[in-house]
Amino acid sequence: MFILIAIAGYSLYLTMRSDLPSVDSLKDLHWQTPMQVFSRDGLLISQFGEKKRTPLTLEQVPQQLIDALLATEDDRFYMHFGVDPIGMGRAVLGKLMGQDKGGASTITMQVARNFFLTREVTYTRKIREIFLSFHIESLLSKDEILMLYINKIPLGHRSFGFGAAAQVYYGKEVSELNLAQIAVLAGLPKAPSTLNPIRSPKRAIARRAVVLHRMLVSGYITKQEYQSAKAAPITGKRHGTEIELNAPYIAEMAHQEVLKRYGKEKAYTEGYKVFTTVTAKLQTAAQQALVNNLLNYDQRHGFRGPLVSLRTNQASKTNTLAEQEPSLLTQEKIDSALAKTNYYQMLVPAVVIAVEEKSVSIQLRNKETATIKWPGLAWARPYINDQRQGRPPKLASDILHYGDVILVSKMPDSNYRLGQLPTASAAIVSLSPDDGAIKAAVGGFSFTQSQFNRVTQAKRQVGSNIKPFIYSAALEHGFTLASLVNDAPINQWDRSSGVVWRPRNSPETYAGPLRVRLGLAQSKNVIAVRLLQSIGVTNTIKHLAAFGFDAQDLPRSETLALGSASLTPLEVATGFATFANGGFLIEPYLIERIENSDGEVIYQANPALACDPCLQADDLAKLEEEIYFIDSSNTLVENSPAVVIKQATRVISPQNAFLITQALNSAIWDADWSATPGWQGTGWRARTLKRRDIAGKTGTTNDAKDAWFSGFSRRLITTSWIGFDDPRHILGQTVYNNNLGKNQTTGKEFGAKSAQPAWIEFMRIALADIETEAFEQPVDIVSVRIDKATGKLTTKTDRSSQFEYFRLGNVPTDYATPDNTSEILSGDKSKEEEEELF
């Protein structure tokens, strides 16, 4: 009889053999694991991939987990040959008797099913499963089969394998689980969707009891361990990937680059570890600076009211619980409102439960209560429009009422402050001018609110941030920092529009003939226009394109001098980096290296360096011991004999970069009372950093729709932008044009007031780790004493003179005299324009 069964079975195997999948792939299995993005200092930023898997080795698996699986799923695993005749016979007998005697599937059979077969229950599939199990047993050791099972089995909530399940249900490594938690996980393979502790704690308890009982019967645990674990509470709850650094805009930038480089299938399954160029310190500082600045800007413009009111009697606005007795809010109503309200960054929802004279009591989620004191309320003047706010509040009841749903933030001193979601947007990006490494980037107030990354995607008019590049072009066409250009209104007939074009300074003050250095430091609009007129629009665009700006984004008109070009913050920062590094165009990059699931480096960044020459012979010897060997296509080269060092393209001379940097340093530090009484540079607020080795430029567009500040030290360039995503907004029945407007406390919003505070807050932290380093004076640059009023040479040493830098060959040859106004340089070369200067 046995021989007949064996012959029949072998005949069936021969019939089905050609349809069986090959199991050879199990010898060299590659686990499908998600992509992880890290900071440069190794903190996890994000994870991408639908399947959550953390592959384990046998040494990493606790013995209690192995015992639980064997006791529950296949207690004779190490004794059978892939199919357990005893278990199968017991299962068949149970079916015939109408009793559940346990499943017939061994761990090997489950491996066969999970890797090669569908979960459809048919006799044919079961037979295929048995034959595949024989193959697997002949190919792999028992330990190898067990690890395939432990790492492959689906365990619910998109977790595959016990390493991922430990993180999903308990937020722990599998080695950190206790016996009760191990028993819960070991019970999941039977029905992960219905037995998990998140969906059904009661069923999870019952299934855990079964696992523990089988472990006890099998002798894996003692009676005391059994009773203790059985009595333990169910602690499982949903845990996401443990993010160590909150930088979602960075994560998405890296994500998109990996998708572009390797494609979706590999990106989500190969277990890539992507290490970015950002550090936790600078990224966190940038995030905090942007958020604080946006909140401060928004609150300067008034309070737009609560999100909604939960009062049952809308006509009543009384503020004490006694007066509101008929319409008291139920706890259920409060909890429901808080659960439905989104929160962003540190702004969390709360419900006003009482209003006192100078404070309000609030309830937050989890029934926590707190008080907002007057300092956290007093800012809330009523918002009227971008230009106007209402009267300052005198009482808390002027601002809030019982039942209002609001957003609040917890301050560093643990006191709460009334808040609101800003309507404006912002971005900040910081680069290394030496190689283009992105040190920090934040593309908006909240990634939850908007995934639009304004660092790379928002092309906005740059305003006066364009002027350093205009002035750089002027220096290439004969102007010097001491050249005089007339700071006076322009009235010019525009044939194309049929109207007179009248560019104006902001504010509308004019100083007459003014040196180029002061024109840039004070951001004089008309001087920028006169310089562009002098060198021509075509020459200017050609020069600006060298900084990496797309010529298509540069208007072919004289409005270019006023910042009508639309660029992204990353493009602006890249352009400014050229001044910081002495004239090189660097290419921004975010990914430092990519490792595969085995820890091997498969990509290493090899950025072009802003240097000339880049390496000396002794430097090269040192680098060979410290960095990977890369070829020109950024591919890792095995046993490469040398490092390929790429040099960035020089786009302006070091002399040009140095002179513009000196003028931008004046925008922060110079205050010249004798030449122009009362003037100071537009970036003077950055003096609070107490760093002389910084330079920068403000920028405000027409109608104050966008505000900028870009500034740099020798080793770091940072650009800050604030503005509105949408050119219009609707409030009630009124449509408003979105601009930064003004507030009734500090007046008009502009670059120095709206964008520069974020730059200062970030750079205060970023520069703390960077030693003071003066901008290096290139060869062929000399310093001579000039007369401030005329820009000519002088022998005086009083406050009417100062030292100025010049290229050799451009040094003035004439000395200032009491009457030399005829030597003033104009913005145009025509006689009519020269006459207009006076």
Side-chain angles (χ1 to χ4, degrees):
M1 184 65 178
F2 176 78
I3 296 175
L4 291 175
I5 294 174
I7 293 174
Y10 184 69
S11 300
L12 183 60
Y13 167 71
L14 292 176
T15 302
M16 301 180 64
R17 182 173 59 179
S18 60
D19 294 331
L20 293 176
S22 171
V23 298
D24 290 341
S25 60
L26 297 179
K27 288 182 178 180
D28 188 23
L29 184 66
H30 180 76
W31 291 112
Q32 293 185 356
T33 51
M35 175 180 73
Q36 293 181 313
V37 179
F38 297 88
S39 65
R40 187 170 187 174
D41 37 2
L43 299 184
L44 181 62
I45 296 176
S46 189
Q47 179 171 293
F48 296 91
E50 292 185 4
K51 293 183 178 181
K52 301 174 183 176
R53 177 178 279 118
T54 306
L56 301 171
T57 63
L58 183 62
E59 293 74 21
Q60 293 173 315
V61 182
Q63 185 60 44
Q64 279 191 330
L65 176 58
I66 294 175
D67 295 341
L69 292 174
L70 294 179
T72 308
E73 298 294 328
D74 190 356
D75 209 16
R76 282 179 294 278
F77 172 70
Y78 281 96
M79 293 180 283
H80 62 63
F81 47 85
V83 177
D84 183 5
I86 297 175
M88 186 171 291
R90 184 179 59 210
V92 172
L93 181 61
K95 290 286 186 181
L96 294 174
M97 298 175 61
Q99 298 176 1
D100 184 7
K101 296 290 186 179
S105 290
T106 64
I107 285 178
T108 309
M109 293 169 70
Q110 291 184 59
V111 168
R113 181 167 64 244
N114 285 321
F115 276 95
F116 301 110
L117 303 173
T118 68
R119 300 188 72 86
E120 180 186 6
V121 181
T122 64
Y123 289 111
T124 302
R125 193 219 69 184
K126 198 68 178 179
I127 294 171
R128 288 161 58 86
E129 187 178 298
I130 291 172
F131 289 152
L132 282 172
S133 297
F134 294 156
H135 271 285
I136 293 171
E137 289 278 345
S138 66
L139 189 69
L140 303 175
S141 69
K142 286 289 188 179
D143 285 346
E144 290 173 328
I145 296 170
L146 180 61
M147 290 313 302
L148 289 175
Y149 176 79
I150 286 174
N151 285 319
K152 175 71 174 181
I153 192 77
L155 296 171
H157 290 280
R158 294 194 301 161
S159 63
F160 291 78
F162 287 89
Q167 173 63 43
V168 168
Y169 294 110
Y170 298 108
K172 297 179 180 180
E173 299 290 334
V174 68
S175 60
E176 299 173 325
L177 301 178
N178 59 39
L179 176 59
Q181 294 167 335
I182 284 174
V184 170
L185 296 188
L188 291 176
K190 182 177 182 180
S193 62
T194 58
L195 295 177
N196 71 74
I198 297 174
R199 178 174 177 178
S200 181
K202 290 183 179 180
R203 289 184 179 181
I205 290 176
R207 180 61 177 167
R208 180 183 68 180
V210 171
V211 174
L212 291 170
H213 182 263
R214 291 182 180 175
M215 291 182 73
L216 176 65
V217 171
S218 299
Y220 292 123
I221 58 175
T222 66
K223 185 72 172 180
Q224 182 179 357
E225 288 175 320
Y226 166 76
Q227 291 174 342
S228 177
K230 186 179 179 182
I234 287 288
T235 57
K237 61 180 182 179
R238 188 191 304 274
H239 291 77
T241 303
E242 189 174 350
I243 301 301
E244 299 170 296
L245 174 61
N246 180 32
Y249 289 104
I250 289 291
E252 186 57 26
M253 289 168 68
H255 172 215
Q256 292 301 322
E257 187 171 338
V258 173
L259 286 179
K260 183 178 180 181
R261 183 178 293 275
Y262 298 109
K264 183 179 293 187
E265 183 176 348
K266 284 190 174 183
Y268 294 154
T269 62
E270 294 293 310
Y272 293 145
K273 288 181 170 57
V274 182
F275 291 86
T276 64
T277 55
V278 304
T279 61
K281 181 177 180 179
L282 294 192
Q283 183 63 28
T284 301
Q287 178 80 25
Q288 197 62 52
L290 180 144
V291 167
N292 288 343
N293 187 52
L294 259 182
L295 289 176
N296 289 336
Y297 163 81
D298 189 71
Q299 292 177 10
R300 287 197 298 268
H301 290 260
F303 181 53
R304 295 184 293 276
L307 301 175
V308 71
S309 175
L310 302 181
R311 290 188 301 274
T312 55
N313 180 3
Q314 290 297 319
S316 175
K317 290 188 177 182
T318 51
N319 301 308
T320 67
L321 294 179
E323 292 171 321
Q324 279 288 326
E325 190 71 35
S327 58
L328 279 176
L329 302 177
T330 64
Q331 187 61 51
E332 181 181 1
K333 194 170 186 179
I334 292 175
D335 291 343
S336 175
L338 293 177
K340 293 177 182 177
T341 305
N342 293 328
Y343 60 93
Y344 310 90
Q345 300 293 356
M346 75 288 290
L347 293 175
V348 297
V351 174
V352 177
I353 56 176
V355 181
E356 306 299 334
E357 182 179 2
K358 292 281 188 176
S359 66
V360 298
S361 297
I362 57 174
Q363 181 172 320
L364 301 106
R365 291 178 175 176
N366 301 321
K367 297 182 175 59
E368 178 187 355
T369 59
T371 299
I372 306 179
K373 300 177 182 178
W374 188 244
L377 295 168
W379 66 268
R381 301 169 66 140
Y383 173 87
I384 298 175
N385 56 45
D386 291 329
Q387 311 295 326
R388 293 179 57 205
Q389 299 84 46
R391 295 179 180 275
K394 295 181 179 179
L395 300 171
S397 58
D398 295 337
I399 307 166
L400 296 171
H401 299 92
Y402 174 82
D404 285 345
V405 180
I406 57 176
L407 294 175
V408 300
S409 57
K410 193 172 186 179
M411 308 306 290
D413 60 4
S414 296
N415 287 317
Y416 279 87
R417 181 181 178 87
L418 174 65
Q420 61 186 359
L421 187 63
T423 56
S425 300
I428 188 168
V429 58
S430 189
L431 307 174
S432 165
D434 292 316
D435 63 1
I438 296 176
K439 298 297 185 180
V442 185
F445 180 78
S446 169
F447 193 77
T448 304
Q449 175 198 15
S450 170
Q451 297 179 17
F452 181 64
N453 188 345
R454 294 151 192 87
V455 167
T456 59
Q457 296 175 295
K459 284 188 176 290
R460 305 307 300 251
Q461 287 194 343
V462 295
S464 293
N465 252 206
I466 202 69
K467 288 177 183 173
F469 307 101
I470 303 293
Y471 279 69
S472 172
L475 295 185
E476 290 301 308
H477 287 77
F479 287 87
T480 72
L481 294 185
S483 298
L484 293 183
V485 181
N486 198 24
D487 179 28
I490 295 174
N491 295 283
Q492 179 175 300
W493 177 256
D494 186 342
R495 292 180 180 177
S496 61
S497 64
V499 298
V500 175
W501 184 49
R502 296 186 176 91
R504 294 288 185 263
N505 287 339
S506 179
E508 285 196 51
T509 59
Y510 301 89
L514 197 66
R515 283 179 287 124
V516 163
R517 175 191 283 265
L518 302 188
L520 181 53
Q522 296 181 54
S523 197
K524 295 288 190 176
N525 287 339
V526 296
I527 289 183
V529 172
R530 292 186 191 279
L531 290 174
L532 185 144
Q533 289 174 337
S534 177
I535 60 181
V537 172
T538 299
N539 287 334
T540 301
I541 289 178
K542 182 179 179 181
H543 188 82
L544 267 60
F547 289 87
F549 306 144
D550 188 339
Q552 300 298 317
D553 294 329
L554 305 177
R556 300 192 64 83
S557 72
E558 293 174 0
T559 63
L560 177 61
L562 304 179
S564 58
S566 293
L567 305 170
T568 68
L570 183 59
E571 290 172 329
V572 172
T574 302
F576 270 87
T578 300
F579 299 127
N581 64 33
F584 296 93
L585 177 62
I586 50 92
E587 182 176 349
Y589 72 101
L590 178 64
I591 296 179
E592 181 71 28
R593 72 180 188 278
I594 301 175
E595 297 178 359
N596 63 18
S597 58
D598 296 323
E600 299 171 341
V601 177
I602 60 171
Y603 168 81
Q604 176 73 44
N606 184 31
L609 305 180
C611 51
D612 184 18
C614 284
L615 288 174
Q616 304 298 329
D618 55 341
D619 294 325
L620 184 59
K622 295 176 184 177
L623 284 174
E624 288 179 354
E625 299 176 358
E626 299 174 0
I627 68 173
Y628 295 94
F629 298 144
I630 311 296
D631 67 14
S632 58
S633 63
N634 282 4
T635 302
L636 201 65
V637 179
E638 298 294 337
N639 303 316
S640 175
V643 179
V644 176
I645 301 298
K646 296 192 293 185
Q647 180 176 312
T649 303
R650 176 174 289 286
V651 293
I652 59 173
S653 69
Q655 294 80 14
N656 186 299
F658 177 78
L659 294 173
I660 293 298
T661 297
Q662 290 302 308
L664 293 175
N665 178 264
S666 293
I668 295 174
W669 278 107
D670 280 4
D672 191 338
W673 287 85
S674 59
T676 312
W679 88 269
Q680 53 189 348
T682 57
W684 63 269
R685 290 170 176 82
R687 295 176 195 169
T688 184
L689 297 177
K690 298 180 180 178
R691 297 280 296 235
R692 289 275 180 175
D693 61 330
I694 55 176
K697 184 70 190 74
T698 56
T700 308
T701 62
N702 190 34
D703 294 329
K705 292 182 179 179
D706 302 275
W708 300 76
F709 189 83
S710 296
F712 54 91
S713 70
R714 173 59 189 87
R715 302 298 171 184
L716 196 68
I717 158 67
T718 302
T719 289
S720 170
W721 167 83
I722 185 172
F724 289 88
D725 291 331
D726 196 317
R728 303 186 309 164
H729 73 276
I730 301 173
L731 190 65
Q733 301 297 318
T734 306
V735 178
Y736 295 96
N737 288 321
N738 274 332
N739 61 61
L740 296 171
K742 65 180 181 180
N743 67 88
Q744 289 168 236
T745 304
T746 58
K748 182 181 177 181
E749 300 282 356
F750 48 89
K753 186 185 297 181
S754 306
Q756 191 181 21
W759 185 92
I760 292 173
E761 183 177 343
F762 170 74
M763 292 294 273
R764 190 184 307 280
I765 294 174
L767 293 176
D769 296 329
I770 300 177
E771 294 184 2
T772 301
E773 181 179 359
F775 297 101
E776 184 178 354
Q777 181 175 332
V779 296
D780 294 335
I781 289 287
V782 295
S783 176
V784 299
R785 187 176 287 277
I786 63 166
D787 174 63
K788 291 181 180 180
T790 64
K792 293 188 175 186
L793 298 175
T794 182
T795 56
K796 293 183 179 181
T797 58
D798 57 17
R799 294 187 63 181
S800 69
S801 67
Q802 71 173 54
F803 281 99
E804 185 56 277
Y805 291 104
F806 296 89
R807 289 184 182 180
L808 278 178
N810 286 349
V811 179
T813 56
D814 296 335
Y815 281 83
T817 62
D819 183 13
N820 56 14
T821 53
S822 62
E823 303 295 335
I824 296 174
L825 283 170
S826 70
D828 250 326
K829 301 305 181 183
S830 69
K831 181 177 180 181
E832 291 78 13
E833 279 291 290
E834 288 185 348
E835 290 175 350
E836 184 186 355
L837 286 169
F838 306 106

